[in-house]
Amino acid sequence: MSSVPSLPRCLCLALPLWLLPLGGAAAPASADLNQAWGALADNRLAEAQRVLGAAPSTRPAQLAWAVAEMTRPPVTEAHRRAAERVFQELARGDDEVGAQAEYLRARLHQLHDVPADETGAAGLYRALAARRPHSHWAQLGLVKLALLELYRRPDPADAAADRLAPAEAALAQIEEPALRRDLHLQIGQAGVALQQPLGRLLPHLVAADRLGGLTSAAREDLIVQIGVLSLRAGQLDQAQAYFARYLQDYPANTRAYTVTQLQEQIRRRRAQESAP
Amino acid sequence: MNGRLRHLGLVLAALGYAWALGWVFTRSAPVVASRPVTIRFAHWQIEQGPPDGMKAVIRRYEELNPRVKVEQVLVPGRIYNQWLRTNLVGGTGVDLVEYGVWLDGMTDIPARYFEPITDQMLRPNPYNRGTPLEHVPWVQTFTDGLQYQRVNAPSPGQFYCATMTEVSERLFCNQELLRAILGSDRTPQTFAELRALFPQVTAYAARTGRPIFALAGSRDNASWLLQFLLQGCMMQVSQRNDRYGSLALYNWDALGHYLEGRWSYRLPEARAGLTMMREVSVNMKQGFVQSLRDAATQEFLRGDAVFIFAGTWDGTSLRSQATFPVEVLRFPQPTPSDPVMGPYLYGRFADGGGGTAMEFYLNKLSAHPQEAVDFMHFMTSVEGSQLFTNHSGWLPATRTVQVPPAIRPYYTPLDCYSFGAEYMMIGASVNMAIMRNFHLLVGPQGSVDRFVDAMEAVMPAAARTDLYKEMTNRSLIVRPQDVRLMALAALGRRAPQNAALVLARERLECAQTQSEALMLKMARQLADAGPVK
């Protein structure tokens, strides 16, 4: 004979567990929270949750617990849902933790749902940007939202639609230079994929380069790419400048030979143009 | 009697104790380890050369670091994939792992098990103190700046590994045999000259009754050659398809382009490469497609083949075991007048070209990540790399290392084009399909048409599978990056003076955004292509 016949027994048992992360146990000390975030930075999820305890009470500790829960192996729908419940609750707050939680809700929809719920994610990114436009997480969310819009299918019914315009509009709202750089780069790359005119996409790639800070293959690719696309667009001075920079920075790369041949091509074109 | 027995028992017990003591101190592992930290690294380069090279590196490193013991684990290539996956899954993987992006069915490994070493790569290698590379960021101390590894990094903008050697592909020539056949030492300089040599080798074999072939054959050596020829013949296609202007096609590019109908093995350019492969393969021993590289090496070392097309990774074995002088040549390339490839020739194509290999990755689960990275620093330092080069006979991957004259021909000068794509190892499924159908091209009843028909029947599905895999592999990386980003932000808030945390977060956000853009691009390509019809 159950005292709560309207609820299934398993739910009765599980309910208190759901509420644990939001419960009222003792708050972990600041040092513990640091230790937990340190463990999370190294992908030691179980250790982070052990440090935080089963029922952290402060908002930052609850966020850390749910962040670990989000990808804790074995990755299950139950873990994902438990994390989302905490994020949803925390997102009501008007602080940095709230912004992070709101951002992470969108990430769950975009990357962790199977199949991905991109429409839901886009809605959450938009809501976050509307509520806290100057938060870093809202700004990062705008970059992610712009990506979703750039590669959205099906294409707009209007064939002449400017595919880059929505992302460019998002650019106007982004204040942080590193995020502006990332979005410029992605607008430029998507411009190529979506076969937009060179005149529309090249300035974005140049802007990404000027903002600086790219590393590894992304930087090398961008320098050679601006050179080649500038050459195709007939902007010979810009092409020459980027090719020279490429050879200076990456003299031993196999692409260096092709770049020297393209420089030769520019010289020949210039000679032809200046011939009487 | 009892006293005597008791006495004998005591003597036996004392003898047993003495024997046990002797065993413990002379035969078994030390009771107390003299070196508290042991790190292990594994690789499949069990050819002659590299194990000795690495042994020399270890010896010196252990002199410099008395608390660390380094163990080299040699694993034969045939079982490497299974061995590696089993150990990584079981949490018993070694600290440093050799990995190559071409390993069949292993594309998820880096995302799951390897740790980026980006921060270290952007700082100087401490073991280069007192050398010309003292103040140079680690990544720039490699002769190629880790170009292939950056291109294939599971997360764009991140560094994951360090390399030990520079590789190229060469034609190794049995000079004595060539002289016996031609009456001169002149080696072929163009593909036309190589083609002219083939009937002379056949005639010599018939005349002497010896089983002599122009090239030593095996499935491995022939597939390297096919890769090289296809890459060369398809360069105009690669250049045409280089929409992004990056002068290099990534695997996902080649797969996406296939789904968009931008290339296929039916293209005249591809058929030219396949035709040349067929032409060369009929000058190899019949049935070679059943054998692996060791068989080709043995054939060449027995003096039964004039040439062997191999990577410089086989150079030390070939040259040290041969009883005849071995000359190292660049593969003779076609000229514009070549009847097969001439119409499609873009220019001289790369037969190596500065890429470095034998790359070691840091296992995410390493118990001693700091020591493992420290050993990576040493093995790729000027001193470590010099030791490796001197003892292995392999080219160094580190700048300023002195290269012995004997291996200088392995270098590929910057005189050739490379667009990256070689239209074979662009994905596990595509590569497997090629190897499964290879006999239709090079077998006795083979032909270009048979191979092309078989490949085009399976390519639509194989390309989709591989592109989907490229996409899902990235999602394995992108998801946990959210965790790390949140952690870096939280730690940064608690230590606002630590600029490194802000920089690390910005870099990770940048890399993650690039990965996500790529995933969306691939998803779009797959959606546009639709299911296989």
Side-chain angles (χ1 to χ4, degrees):
Chain A
M1 196 98 122
S2 170
S3 57
V4 277
S6 58
L7 285 174
R9 267 167 205 269
C10 59
L11 204 57
C12 293
L13 187 69
L15 198 56
L17 295 176
W18 290 2
L19 298 172
L20 264 180
L22 304 174
S30 173
D32 288 347
L33 193 53
N34 246 3
Q35 193 188 338
W37 282 119
L40 288 173
D42 288 342
N43 204 30
R44 289 178 277 122
L45 309 179
E47 184 184 328
Q49 287 195 327
R50 205 164 45 243
V51 171
L52 291 164
S57 60
T58 66
R59 287 170 57 77
Q62 286 166 359
L63 180 76
W65 184 92
V67 164
E69 188 70 1
M70 188 167 72
T71 52
R72 177 168 69 88
V75 176
T76 64
E77 180 59 17
H79 290 168
R80 198 207 74 85
R81 262 187 273 144
E84 183 165 21
R85 271 191 300 275
V86 179
F87 293 146
Q88 206 165 354
E89 184 61 35
L90 293 175
R92 293 195 187 121
D94 213 14
D95 54 1
E96 174 76 1
V97 168
Q100 282 174 284
E102 210 167 342
Y103 173 79
L104 287 168
R105 271 192 76 201
R107 302 297 286 165
L108 281 177
H109 283 265
Q110 186 187 345
L111 289 172
H112 298 255
D113 277 3
V114 182
D117 171 20
E118 291 180 352
T119 310
L124 289 164
Y125 288 136
R126 275 193 205 99
L128 175 59
R131 262 185 80 188
R132 320 165 206 251
H134 305 294
S135 151
H136 169 74
W137 305 105
Q139 303 240 316
L140 183 57
L142 282 171
V143 175
K144 310 292 186 186
L145 174 63
L147 287 184
L148 290 176
E149 287 176 340
L150 280 168
Y151 291 102
R152 189 184 62 218
R153 280 184 88 252
D155 292 333
D158 178 5
D162 187 341
R163 301 295 313 276
L164 307 185
E168 284 171 333
L171 199 52
Q173 299 174 61
I174 295 175
E175 297 147 5
E176 296 180 31
L179 295 180
R180 288 185 65 78
R181 172 202 62 206
D182 294 348
L183 187 50
H184 272 301
L185 178 63
Q186 293 314 323
I187 295 174
Q189 303 290 8
V192 181
L194 301 170
Q195 299 175 43
Q196 298 293 293
L198 284 175
R200 285 282 279 113
L201 62 96
L202 248 174
H204 286 291
L205 297 177
V206 173
D209 173 54
R210 289 198 178 137
L211 282 161
L214 288 173
T215 57
S216 192
R219 178 177 185 273
E220 184 179 340
D221 278 355
L222 182 62
I223 294 173
V224 77
Q225 194 177 13
I226 296 175
V228 172
L229 296 181
S230 300
L231 178 59
R232 287 181 195 166
Q235 298 176 25
L236 301 190
D237 287 342
Q238 183 164 281
Q240 188 64 273
Y242 274 91
F243 286 152
R245 200 172 133 201
Y246 183 84
L247 291 176
Q248 188 184 325
D249 291 357
Y250 305 101
N253 189 298
T254 41
R255 288 187 277 197
Y257 179 72
T258 314
V259 169
T260 57
Q261 299 305 303
L262 292 174
Q263 282 186 316
E264 189 53 38
Q265 201 177 313
I266 292 174
R267 269 192 287 277
R268 279 200 304 271
R269 269 173 76 170
R270 283 223 163 100
Q272 277 173 358
E273 283 165 13
S274 61
Chain B
M1 182 73 181
N2 276 351
R4 227 188 257 171
L5 271 178
R6 195 166 56 241
H7 190 68
L8 184 65
L10 281 172
V11 169
L12 282 175
L15 280 174
Y17 183 71
W19 177 83
L21 272 182
W23 182 269
V24 165
F25 285 104
T26 59
R27 301 293 183 89
S28 67
V31 179
V32 180
S34 57
R35 294 172 182 266
V37 174
T38 298
I39 56 170
R40 294 182 302 145
F41 67 94
H43 63 86
W44 65 80
Q45 313 297 169
I46 56 174
E47 304 92 340
Q48 281 203 355
D52 291 338
M54 294 310 291
K55 207 183 287 175
V57 174
I58 293 170
R59 204 178 304 128
R60 178 66 180 138
Y61 180 79
E62 288 184 343
E63 276 173 23
L64 296 172
N65 296 276
R67 53 181 289 280
V68 183
K69 179 174 168 53
V70 184
E71 289 177 359
Q72 176 173 213
V73 182
L74 304 174
V75 185
R78 285 186 194 198
I79 58 159
Y80 191 82
N81 290 8
Q82 297 88 325
W83 177 88
L84 180 60
R85 188 177 285 283
T86 309
N87 279 286
L88 289 174
V89 169
T92 54
V94 293
D95 302 273
L96 297 173
V97 179
E98 186 183 17
Y99 169 82
V101 72
W102 63 90
L103 293 177
D104 278 347
M106 303 285 276
T107 49
D108 61 314
I109 292 287
R112 289 183 195 277
Y113 299 108
F114 298 154
E115 182 71 16
I117 49 173
T118 311
D119 291 343
Q120 295 92 327
M121 275 290 166
L122 298 174
R123 291 197 294 267
N125 179 343
Y127 286 101
N128 279 336
R129 234 167 262 140
T131 76
L133 302 180
E134 177 168 3
H135 302 294
V136 178
W138 191 13
V139 58
Q140 286 172 24
T141 65
F142 297 91
T143 53
D144 66 338
L146 299 178
Q147 54 175 316
Y148 292 130
Q149 291 70 31
R150 278 183 283 140
V151 163
N152 294 312
S155 176
Q158 301 268 40
F159 295 99
Y160 279 79
C161 63
T163 54
M164 287 305 294
T165 189
E166 181 174 328
V167 290
S168 56
E169 284 160 333
R170 291 289 179 266
L171 199 59
F172 294 84
C173 170
N174 178 339
Q175 279 177 299
E176 279 180 6
L177 187 56
L178 185 72
R179 199 178 307 124
I181 295 168
L182 293 184
S184 87
D185 282 337
R186 187 177 152 69
T187 50
Q189 302 300 305
T190 64
F191 192 80
E193 290 179 12
L194 181 65
R195 193 181 270 138
L197 187 73
F198 290 154
Q200 292 175 280
V201 177
T202 311
Y204 177 82
R207 200 164 62 239
T208 58
R210 289 177 57 196
I212 306 282
F213 291 89
L215 275 93
S218 82
R219 176 190 172 89
D220 296 327
N221 298 67
S223 71
W224 298 331
L225 184 59
L226 175 59
Q227 196 180 329
F228 171 68
L229 293 172
L230 263 182
Q231 174 213 320
C233 286
M234 292 286 277
M235 269 203 303
Q236 283 189 12
V237 178
S238 301
Q239 201 266 346
R240 217 161 48 225
N241 286 340
D242 180 22
R243 283 179 293 185
Y244 291 90
S246 52
L247 302 182
L249 294 179
Y250 296 104
N251 286 346
W252 51 264
D253 270 328
L255 293 164
H257 291 160
Y258 183 86
L259 295 181
E260 290 174 20
R262 288 168 170 265
W263 70 273
S264 79
Y265 293 107
R266 292 194 195 284
L267 284 182
E269 291 90 342
R271 293 180 65 92
L274 297 169
T275 303
M276 290 179 79
M277 181 67 225
R278 168 98 192 137
E279 199 177 343
V280 176
S281 70
V282 295
N283 290 282
M284 294 174 172
K285 192 158 87 178
Q286 270 202 13
F288 71 83
V289 81
Q290 306 292 338
S291 54
L292 299 176
R293 63 194 264 211
D294 291 346
T297 302
Q298 291 306 319
E299 185 186 355
F300 181 74
L301 292 175
R302 278 197 308 270
D304 290 346
V306 185
F307 303 108
I308 182 169
F309 181 78
T312 49
W313 51 86
D314 278 334
T316 307
S317 302
L318 291 169
R319 296 167 90 183
S320 64
Q321 292 177 42
T323 54
F324 45 81
V326 175
E327 191 178 346
V328 183
L329 314 172
R330 295 180 77 181
F331 190 86
Q333 297 213 0
T335 57
S337 62
D338 189 275
V340 179
M341 191 167 167
Y344 314 110
L345 196 66
Y346 188 81
R348 187 177 183 87
F349 44 98
D351 46 7
T356 59
M358 197 176 171
E359 56 226 60
F360 286 95
Y361 291 75
L362 175 63
N363 182 351
K364 260 183 197 167
L365 298 178
S366 166
H368 305 289
Q370 280 177 351
E371 287 83 357
V373 171
D374 191 62
F375 180 65
M376 269 171 130
H377 272 135
F378 180 73
M379 71 188 191
T380 58
S381 67
V382 174
E383 184 185 2
S385 181
Q386 188 71 65
L387 284 167
F388 175 77
T389 301
N390 294 347
H391 289 82
S392 66
W394 283 28
L395 286 177
T398 304
R399 285 164 51 199
T400 77
V401 170
Q402 299 297 311
V403 178
I407 57 171
R408 282 191 195 143
Y410 295 172
Y411 262 133
T412 298
L414 277 177
D415 64 352
C416 43
Y417 292 99
S418 168
F419 284 99
E422 30 75 342
Y423 301 95
M424 271 185 70
M425 289 198 288
I426 52 177
S429 306
V430 172
N431 193 36
M432 269 194 289
I434 287 185
M435 296 322 293
R436 213 169 35 240
N437 292 308
F438 199 29
H439 69 283
L440 296 177
L441 177 67
V442 298
Q445 271 76 51
S447 73
V448 171
D449 286 338
R450 286 190 71 195
F451 177 78
V452 168
D453 287 345
M455 280 307 294
E456 288 305 321
V458 295
M459 270 300 282
R464 279 168 175 82
T465 304
D466 286 340
L467 190 58
Y468 183 76
K469 193 81 188 152
E470 285 267 342
M471 189 176 71
T472 50
N473 281 344
R474 280 177 174 78
S475 70
L476 289 174
I477 297 177
V478 162
R479 283 185 202 132
Q481 281 176 341
D482 278 337
V483 174
R484 189 164 155 75
L485 277 178
M486 290 295 151
L488 290 171
L491 293 170
R493 270 197 307 278
R494 287 158 172 267
Q497 74 288 357
N498 190 342
L501 287 169
V502 176
L503 190 62
R505 179 182 52 74
E506 281 181 5
R507 280 198 187 127
L508 190 59
E509 284 172 357
C510 179
Q512 191 194 43
T513 296
Q514 289 176 57
S515 293
E516 284 177 50
L518 257 180
M519 286 163 60
L520 288 165
K521 200 182 299 177
M522 289 187 255
R524 196 184 152 92
Q525 281 177 316
L526 283 165
D528 286 347
V532 179
K533 293 169 186 90

